[in-house]
Every structure is written in structure tokens, then in C-alpha cells.
């Protein structure tokens, strides 16, 4: 059988079937369209301006590894004029994060970008290993997720960057749309398809891979021979994949455009005005100054529970009431340093590539 | 997503299974006397409380929309502006709907003197119904779409006509009527022997160009042939199912309008509504998500009343409908719609399996989906309507698609140049790839008149390829439903005139001479 010719350049031999469009294309055209689409996303949403300091949230996984590579490529090709940094969070999970942080350190060398690693231990005084030893494996992901979000913002503030970019891809966003509908989380549903989020005091956070299929990210890493670390977190070995994720994969198999179609749907609707009026207003945490929906932010609530030996208090209402019944928080517990938005000067030195 | 790949970083993300019935009580929660017979969303009901429970939910959804001014004072009088049409498929929820309509609004009053008193029971009120005229029940037979399926029209007719005193007028329709000029004319759509009749669709081309069907086309364009040609030309099983749904919907709408109906009732249960919502969102129809629960449709060309499409069972689960049918002695018609094995490969059937599974294990999730989507509205106002499904449509959806997925270099001309061009192509090669498009003559296309979801239905391909390969000629001359042809007749003709007005072309002396030739005298 004669080799298939690339549907785009009509010159080279087709090497892959593109998951997003089903077209049979060559490797070079795949690199070109993948990168150009990310560029289109960046330009369309006006994500950056020349001179911006941008931190790439780097976990050492496929999404952030490819993101770092593509951001560097596009920054040079289209002369965005960005100062790029790598920002990693070390949750303190022995045997899991140690290896993936090695990947990030390699990326630092390969892409010639300064790297900052911020640990939970440094910020909260607790590693995930220590948290799991107290709370067990059931709810540890709640702590990890809440702490990571704050840690990224705080790391970015230390680096004095204007912007954090994360490797959330189209599959993640489509899955979030479905999840939020199924659990009735109207507030998150309203904002989960936004490419860029920014509160009054928080650092801009955006997702340049918003329209990039997970499979294409893997394909890109494979053909570019980018190495990344892929493992399940040891504290969630049977990770709850979520009904939405399994369902989404089935939809994608039936019609690959389903992922983009869900994102388009999510972008086309919004919460009715009368519902918006009933939503909680954003405020500032009284203890640490981070954005919060309540007097205390979620991270401070969780940390107080850990410090007072009542970790469940951040998880269930009953445990929370028990904690409150014991009186106010003692003065000697560890708290999170007060959050100061970027001041104009980096407050930490970053590891420059050697 | 978290780096550990675990979506349940928040407690709420865990959908913890809750026992369907805690076994604490067996007494009906409503009357608190009788032994319970059925568990509905964790609560126990007896048989005698079950019927008013479902009927109350049915009326609570339907009645606020009956009077022309919705949500007005309705206790005094329910008076619709026109007649009533019921879309009936013979399925479980449809059967319950018809029974509820008959028992709630169409029961004949006893004729004994004892019962004929004053007030609302006065004889003068006995003939005054909520809707004008005799309600119609419309049934769309889909057997033409699939080989080997039996025509069930007469079975359905028997079901509809068994109610005492025949309160309904039965209107049988066929899916192929969508391509039938006689049906179109009978519903007041107009004479189909117009210029647009010659339009076909080139479905092999992603730009969905409209083609003029050649005169040499064999005269086999019967409605059934056209339906089969249309269904076999759409690219995926998802598209086939979605197309059938759209055709049924529009057949019901046009038929209802032709009978001067102000209301069309559909038997969409809470479960099916959740399926439709998620399936619609997964097919890109988020812009019209509010229409899935409640819509008002104005016929094109203008005739009759706007039809208010109501789904009065949208608070009643499919299980409750099944229980209603069982206790009322109703037997739904088994209608195996989909060809065997299609379930795994189509978005709507995958969604249906997913939601039905949820309803078994997490009954609250199904109503959460409907409630959440009920809080959504379109992000932008649009007075555009899709030519195919006739739902609100966003503008510039093709531009959005081209932006996020590059399908050809000719569409991305400005980007494909200089240092930003593909490194393996020379300037000449790029130029050749982009030139073809620039030089091609713009032809009328269906794409600008479609909503995102319908455009995706006609263009999104499966990774496995087409459902069935089509001959080149058939793919280029795919017939279009009657309402599309009718609307195209107006819009394409108008656009052609507009484009003629703005097109400029340098005329040669021969061109100029040809225009005045008859006035010139031979030298």
C-alpha cells in the first residue's frame, strides 16, 4: 500500500493520525500546528505583554515539561519578550516527588531557565508524609490540593512574577466542566473554562494548553524526545479517576471533537444573573492574607486542624464544630506567613542554570 | 488537575454512594398511615399517594406556562392561546405523559344531575377546556431510517385511540416527511418547487458548500431515498442519532404549528433531560442549553402561533414513569431505536448509559445536573437561529474552530510566513498551498447558517473514518430537509444579490462590448 501523504503539507509521509482532527499528518506539520495553536491561544487571550515575568508551574510531569519547552520555543519564535522561570512545589512525598523534581532540574539545565522549588515543609511546616501520618490516606488529597494552590501563588510572589502558567490541558478542562455540572458547583462551573483567572490580590494564572489534547501533548513529548516523569502519587495508588474522566475518555473515543465541544459549550454559557447575586463574595483571610470565601482560608483551617491534632476539622462540619467548642486557636501554633502580593523585587534567589 | 492525577482534592468531588433506602421506616412519608410501596429518592410512598405526587409535579411544571403571559395568576383560569399538541413516541415517559394529560385535563365529567351544580361544575363550563379545539397527538415513525424495523404506527394509533370518547386526534408522521414536499406544503411551509429545491450539500467538504443538483440526477429523489442519503452521508454514529433527534423535533414543531398549537408537550423525564443536557453539552450545544428544558419556537415561514415547547415530566424520573405505567396498566412500545452495537460509539447513547447508571447508584446526581443547567444562560444575546435545528446560534463559530484547530495552511495564511512558517516547507511550497484557496471562487456554503453543534454534527469525523463510504457524486449532492431548503431559498438568494452588489471586476473591452452589442451598428 502506498504511504499516506500528509493532509497539511501534501509533501511528506504522514506519520500520525492527529487526535484532535483525525487528519493524517507528518511529524513536522504536527509540531507546527501544535505550537501555532498554542500561540493562537496566547495571542487571542492577550495573555502576556513584553517584559512580563512568567513562572511555569513545573511538576516534572508531561504537561508541564511540554509547556516549558513550548513556552521557550514560542517566546523565541514570536519574540514575546518574556522572562521565564520554573516554579516547582515539593510536597514532601518520599519516593514520588524526589524523582519528578530531578526531571524539573534537568529541564532547568536544558531550557536555561531559573528554577525555584518551594516545599510544603518550608511554607507550612508540614510535609505530605507527616500529614498522611496524622490524617491517614483517606483525605490527604484535600490537604495537598489546597496547599499546592497557595504554594504556587506564594512561590510566584517570592519570585516577583506577574503570571503563572500551568499545564492544564483540554481534557482537564472538559472533565472539570462535566464534574462541576454533576456536583452542582455553579461557582466553579462559571469560571472553569476561563483561560486566565485573577482575583484582586492574586497573581494572574493561565492555561496556554487550554485547547491542547492530552494525547497530543504526549505525542509531542514522544516525537520531541522530551523526558518526563510519570507515576501515580503513592498516597493515592488507586487514584479515584472520577466518573467524569472515564466518561470523557469514552466520549473522545466515540467522537474526538467531544473534548473541544465540551469546552466550547462551557464557554458559551454563563450563570444567570439572579444566581450570581446569591454567591459568596471573595474576601481576605484574617490570619494569612490570602484570598478566601470565609474569615479563614481553607489552608489556614486545615493547618490549624493539623497543629491542634484535629485534622478532620478541615474536612467535616462535625469535626469543625468540635474544634470550635475547644475554644480559640492557641497562640503557639504554626501559621502560614502573611501573603504579600508581588512587591516589585524578588524576595528569594532562584537557582540559575549552571 | 492535581499533579497526582486525582480529581478528588475536594471532598465534594467524591460522589459517595448513599443507600437508596435506609430501611428505617416502611410507612409512607406522605400519608404516614399506609405501608409504603415504592422508594423515590430515599423516601417511601404508598400507591395511593404516588399518583397525586407525580400529578402534582406534572401540573407544577406545566401550568405556569399555559396562559400566554407565563407565570401569571393561574388559579382563576387556565386559558391557552391555541390548541395542544403532544409529541408521542410510545416509550415509557411518553406513555405516562399522555396518560397524565388525559386524566388531568381531558376527563369527561359525570353526566348525572347530582354532579351538575354551579361554579366550575356548571354545565356551561363542561365544554370549555384549557386548550382550544381537540388536542393532537403526533407520532413520528422512524423505521425508514433503519433496515429491518417494523412500522408501529397502527400500534401507536391503538394506544392513542383507546382513551374514552377519543379525546385526541392522532397525526402519524414519518421521519422521511422531513424531505417530503407534500408534507411541507400540508404544514403551510409553501410550495417546494422553488429554486432552492435544486440545492444539495457537499458533505465531503468541511466547508459544507452548497451545490446545485445537476439535472442529470436520476429521478429517485423520493422522500425515503433522500432521508437515507442524508443519514448515510453524516460522518459519525453520533451525528446519525443527533440528526434523527433534530428531524423528529422539527417535524413535531411544524406539525404543531400547522394545527395552530400554542403548546407542544414532550415526554422528557428528569432522567432523559439530564441525558439530553450532558449529551448536548458534549456535542457543543452549550449556547442553547436553556432551550433543552424550555423553548419557544416561532415557525419559519411565519404562520400560526409561536409554539411553547414544554416538558412537564422534567421533575419526574424515568423510574417514577415506569411505576406509573405499571400501576396504571399501560404497556410502552418497545422501540429499539439504535442498530445493535451502536451504543458504544455514539455520544448520546454513551451519555444515556452513563446517566442511567448514575440514577441507579447516585439518584441525586441526575436532578443536580438538571438543576445546575437550569441556572445557566447563554453568554451573549443572539437573534440568529440555526437553519437546521432552529435553535439560537452564535456567530463566527467557524472562525473559533479554525483558530483552535488548524486544518489547512490555506486557512492560516497570515501565520504561515517568514520565521513562523513550517520549517520543512519552502516559500514556494507554502505559496502553492495557500494559493489554491485564494484563487478558488467563493461558493455558497451552509456553514455560516449553522450553530456550532449542527456544524460539528456535519463535519466532525471519527478517528475510525466515515460510517459508510459514499460515492463522490452522492456526497456532493446530499439532500437537505424541507425547512432548510425553504430558508436557504431566502437567505442564499439575498446573499447572492448582496455579493453581486459589492463584487467589483475589471471589465475587458470585449465584456463592455457584449453589454451594448445590440446597440452597435456593424462597421
Amino acid at each position: 500500500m502506498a504511504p499516506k501523504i500528509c493532509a497539511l503539507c501534501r509533501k511528506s509521509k504522514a506519520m500520525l493520525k492527529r487526535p484532535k482532527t483525525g487528519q493524517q499528518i507528518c511529524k513536522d506539520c504536527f509540531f507546527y500546528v501544535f505550537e501555532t495553536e498554542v500561540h493562537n491561544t496566547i495571542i487571542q487571550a492577550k495573555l502576556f505583554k513584553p517584559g512580563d515575568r512568567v513562572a511555569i508551574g513545573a511538576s516534572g510531569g508531561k504537561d508541564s515539561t511540554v509547556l516549558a519547552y513550548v513556552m521557550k520555543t514560542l517566546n523565541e519564535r514570536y519574540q514575546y519578550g518574556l522572562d521565564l522561570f520554573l516554579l516547582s512545589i515539593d510536597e514532601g512525598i518520599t519516593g514520588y516527588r524526589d524523582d519528578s523534581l530531578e526531571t524539573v532540574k534537568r529541564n532547568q539545565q536544558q531550557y536555561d531557565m531559573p528554577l525555584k522549588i518551594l516545599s510544603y515543609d518550608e511554607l507550612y511546616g508540614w510535609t505530605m508524609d507527616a500529614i498522611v501520618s496524622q490524617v491517614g490516606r483517606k483525605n490527604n488529597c484535600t490537604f495537598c490540593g489546597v496547599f499546592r494552590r497557595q504554594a504556587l501563588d506564594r512561590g510566584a510572589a517570592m519570585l516577583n512574577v506577574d503570571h503563572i502558567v500551568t499545564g492544564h490541558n483540554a481534557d482537564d478542562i472538559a472533565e472539570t466542566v462535566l464534574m462541576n455540572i454533576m456536583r452542582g458547583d455553579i461557582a466553579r462551573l462559571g469560571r472553569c473554562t476561563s483561560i486566565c483567572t485573577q482575583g484582586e490580590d492574586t497573581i494572574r494564572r493561565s492555561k496556554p494548553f487550554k485547547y491542547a489534547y492530552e494525547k497530543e501533548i504526549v505525542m509531542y513529548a514522544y516525537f520531541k524526545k522530551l523526558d518526563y516523569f510519570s507515576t501515580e502519587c503513592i498516597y493515592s495508588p488507586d487514584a479515584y479517576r472520577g466518573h467524569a474522566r472515564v466518561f470523557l475518555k469514552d466520549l473522545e473515543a466515540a467522537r474526538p471533537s467531544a473534548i473541544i465541544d465540551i469546552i466550547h459549550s462551557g464557554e458559551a454559557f454563563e450563570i444567570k444573573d439572579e444566581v450570581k447575586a446569591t454567591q459568596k463574595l471573595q474576601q481576605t483571610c484574617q490570619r494569612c492574607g490570602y484570598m478566601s470565601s470565609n474569615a479563614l482560608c481553607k489552608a489556614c483551617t486545615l493547618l490549624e486542624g493539623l497543629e491542634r491534632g484535629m485534622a478532620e476539622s478541615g474536612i467535616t462540619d462535625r469535626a469543625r464544630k468540635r474544634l470550635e467548642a475547644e475554644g480559640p486557636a492557641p497562640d503557639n501554633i504554626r501559621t502560614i506567613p502573611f501573603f504579600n502580593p508581588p512587591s516589585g523585587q524578588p524576595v528569594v534567589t532562584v537557582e540559575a542554570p549552571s | 488537575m492535581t499533579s497526582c492525577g486525582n480529581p478528588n482534592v475536594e471532598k465534594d468531588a467524591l460522589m459517595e454512594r448513599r443507600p437508596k433506602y435506609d430501611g428505617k421506616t416502611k410507612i409512607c412519608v406522605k400519608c404516614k398511615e399506609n405501608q409504603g410501596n415504592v422508594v423515590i429518592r430515599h423516601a417511601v410512598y404508598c400507591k395511593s399517594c404516588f399518583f397525586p405526587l407525580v400529578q402534582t409535579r406534572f401540573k407544577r411544571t406545566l401550568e405556569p406556562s399555559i396562559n400566554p403571559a407565563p407565570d401569571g395568576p393561574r388559579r382563576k383560569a387556565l386559558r391557552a392561546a391555541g390548541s395542544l399538541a403532544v409529541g408521542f413516541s410510545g416509550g415509557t415517559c411518553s406513555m405516562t405523559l399522555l396518560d397524565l394529560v388525559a386524566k388531568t385535563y381531558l376527563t369527561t365529567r359525570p353526566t348525572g344531575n347530582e354532579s351538575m351544580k354551579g361554579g366550575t361544575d356548571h354545565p356551561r363550563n363542561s365544554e370549555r377546556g384549557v386548550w382550544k379545539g381537540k388536542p393532537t397527538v403526533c407520532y413520528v415513525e422512524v423505521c425508514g431510517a433503519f433496515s429491518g424495523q417494523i412500522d408501529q404506527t397502527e400500534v401507536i394509533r391503538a394506544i392513542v385511540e383507546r382513551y374514552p370518547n377519543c379525546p385526541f386526534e392522532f397525526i402519524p408522521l414519518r421521519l422521511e416527511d422531513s424531505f417530503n414536499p407534500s408534507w411541507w406544503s400540508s404544514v403551510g411551509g409553501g410550495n417546494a418547487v422553488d429554486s432552492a429545491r435544486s440545492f444539495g450539500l457537499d458533505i465531503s467538504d468541511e466547508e459544507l458548500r452548497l451545490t446545485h443538483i445537476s439535472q442529470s440526477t436520476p429521478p429517485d429523489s423520493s422522500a425515503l431515498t433522500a432521508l437515507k442519503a442524508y443519514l448515510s452521508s453524516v460522518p459519525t454514529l453520533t451525528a446519525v442519532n443527533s440528526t434523527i433527534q433534530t428531524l423528529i423535533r422539527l417535524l413535531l414543531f411544524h406539525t404543531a404549528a400547522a394545527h395552530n398549537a400554542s403548546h407542544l408537550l414532550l415526554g422528557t423525564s428528569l432522567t432523559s433531560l439530564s441525558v439530553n443536557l450532558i449529551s448536548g453539552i458534549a456535542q457543543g450545544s452549550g449556547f442553547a442549553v436553556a432551550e433543552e428544558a424550555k423553548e419557544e419556537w416561532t415557525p419559519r415561514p411565519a404562520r400560526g402561533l409561536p409554539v411553547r415547547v414544554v416538558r412537564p415530566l422534567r421533575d419526574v424520573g424515568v423510574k417514577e414513569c415506569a411505576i406509573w405505567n405499571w400501576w396504571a396498566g399501560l404497556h410502552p412500545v418497545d422501540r429499539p431505536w439504535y442498530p445493535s452495537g451502536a451504543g458504544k460509539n455514539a455520544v448520546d447513547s454513551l451519555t444515556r448509559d452513563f446517566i442511567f447508571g448514575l440514577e441507579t447508584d447516585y439518584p441525586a446526581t441526575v436532578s443536580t445536573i438538571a438543576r445546575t443547567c437550569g441556572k445557566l444562560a447563554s453568554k451573549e444575546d443572539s437573534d440568529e437561529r440555526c437553519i437546521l435545528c432552529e435553535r439560537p446560534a452564535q456567530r463566527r463559530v467557524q472562525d473559533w474552530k479554525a483558530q483552535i484547530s488548524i486544518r489547512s495552511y490555506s486557512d492560516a495564511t497570515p501565520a504561515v510566513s517568514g520565521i513562523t512558517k513550517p520549517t520543512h516547507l519552502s516559500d514556494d511550497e507554502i505559496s502553492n498551498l495557500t494559493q489554491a484557496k485564494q484563487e478558488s471562487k467563493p461558493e455558497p456554503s451552509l456553514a455560516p447558517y449553522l450553530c456550532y453543534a449542527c456544524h460539528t454534527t456535519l463535519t466532525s469525523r471519527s478517528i475510525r473514518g466515515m460510517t459508510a463510504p459514499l460515492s463522490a457524486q452522492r456526497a456532493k449532492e446530499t439532500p437537505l430537509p424541507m425547512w432548510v431548503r425553504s430558508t436557504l431559498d431566502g437567505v442564499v438568494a439575498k446573499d447572492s444579490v448582496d455579493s453581486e452588489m459589492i463584487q467589483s471586476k475589471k471589465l475587458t473591452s470585449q465584456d463592455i462590448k457584449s453589454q451594448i452589442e445590440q446597440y452597435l451598428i456593424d462597421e
Side-chain angles (χ1 to χ4, degrees), chain A residues 11 17 20 23 29 32 37 40 77-78 97 142 168 183-184 233 240 257 261 264-265 267-268 270 272, chain B residues 1 3-4 7 9-10 281 286 374-375 377 379 394 404-407 409 419-420 424 452 460 463:
Chain A
K11 174 187 155 189
K17 200 179 255 188
K20 198 173 185 179
Q23 286 178 317
C29 281
Y32 178 76
E37 284 167 11
N40 286 346
R77 183 184 299 161
Y78 295 97
R97 199 39 110 200
T142 307
H168 290 84
R183 64 186 194 199
C233 172
Y240 171 82
S257 73
D261 298 341
H264 183 269
S265 288
E267 288 180 3
E270 64 178 0
K272 284 180 182 168
Chain B
M1 193 186 74
S3 67
C4 64
V9 289
E10 293 134 31
I281 286 169
K375 293 174 185 168
K379 212 171 233 174
Q394 278 168 299
I404 56 142
S405 337
I406 298 169
R407 287 160 191 271
Y409 289 140
I419 57 158
T420 62
H424 65 300
Y452 179 93
S460 176
I463 210 86

Side-chain angles (χ1 to χ4, degrees), chain B residues 211-488:
Chain B
T211 53
H212 287 278
I213 295 177
S214 58
Q215 294 304 312
S216 58
T217 304
D220 64 348
S221 51
S222 74
L224 186 57
T225 314
L227 169 72
K228 286 185 171 170
Y230 188 73
L231 290 178
S232 61
S233 66
V234 296
T236 54
L237 275 167
T238 304
V240 171
N241 296 345
S242 145
T243 300
I244 292 172
Q245 295 280 11
T246 303
L247 296 182
I248 291 176
R249 195 172 135 265
L250 267 296
L251 280 168
L252 292 176
F253 285 10
H254 282 288
T255 308
H259 287 80
N260 216 30
S262 58
H263 292 81
L264 170 66
L265 307 190
L266 300 178
T268 313
S269 67
L270 177 66
T271 321
S272 4
L273 178 63
S274 296
V275 172
N276 295 348
L277 286 165
I278 296 286
S279 166
I281 286 169
Q283 293 180 59
S285 66
F287 188 70
V289 71
E291 307 277 308
E292 204 62 66
K294 196 175 179 183
E295 57 188 315
E296 190 153 319
W297 175 80
T298 309
R300 281 196 301 202
R303 62 196 189 281
L305 298 163
V307 181
R308 203 168 275 174
V309 186
V310 189
R311 293 160 172 89
L313 296 180
R314 66 167 190 251
D315 281 337
V316 181
V318 71
K319 190 178 87 175
E320 285 113 282
C321 291
I323 295 166
W324 176 287
N325 292 346
W326 177 251
W327 278 338
L330 306 170
H331 301 287
V333 180
D334 183 27
R335 298 186 55 74
W337 238 55
Y338 303 99
S340 59
K344 286 193 171 64
N345 297 324
V347 168
D348 64 328
S349 40
L350 280 168
T351 311
R352 198 182 43 183
D353 292 349
F354 175 68
I355 299 285
F356 274 64
L358 278 182
E359 190 169 48
T360 312
D361 296 334
Y362 311 97
T365 309
V366 175
S367 67
T368 303
I369 292 169
R371 268 190 293 112
T372 309
C373 293
K375 293 174 185 168
L376 302 174
S378 309
K379 212 171 233 174
E380 57 187 78
D381 289 333
S382 171
D383 47 11
E384 303 271 321
R385 269 165 63 184
C386 172
I387 201 168
L388 195 53
C389 71
E390 303 218 344
R391 280 190 164 158
Q394 278 168 299
R395 296 179 192 91
R396 301 180 300 278
V397 288
Q398 283 78 37
D399 295 347
W400 186 88
K401 282 188 173 185
Q403 185 89 29
I404 56 142
S405 337
I406 298 169
R407 287 160 191 271
S408 86
Y409 289 140
S410 54
D411 290 336
T413 315
V416 190
S417 60
I419 57 158
T420 62
K421 75 173 175 57
T423 48
H424 65 300
L425 298 178
S426 67
D427 286 341
D428 285 347
E429 284 166 337
I430 283 290
S431 164
N432 287 339
L433 287 169
T434 53
Q435 211 168 18
K437 167 99 175 199
Q438 286 164 2
E439 286 178 355
S440 64
K441 190 183 156 199
E443 288 177 45
S445 158
L446 190 66
Y449 309 112
L450 295 173
C451 66
Y452 179 93
C454 286
H455 184 261
T456 306
T457 295
L458 294 175
T459 55
S460 176
R461 279 156 171 65
S462 161
I463 210 86
R464 301 179 195 88
M466 299 276 280
T467 42
L470 287 174
S471 72
Q473 183 65 15
R474 277 181 63 196
K476 284 187 195 313
E477 295 185 352
T478 306
L480 290 163
M482 296 309 301
W483 53 89
V484 180
R485 292 193 212 176
S486 168
T487 315
L488 270 181

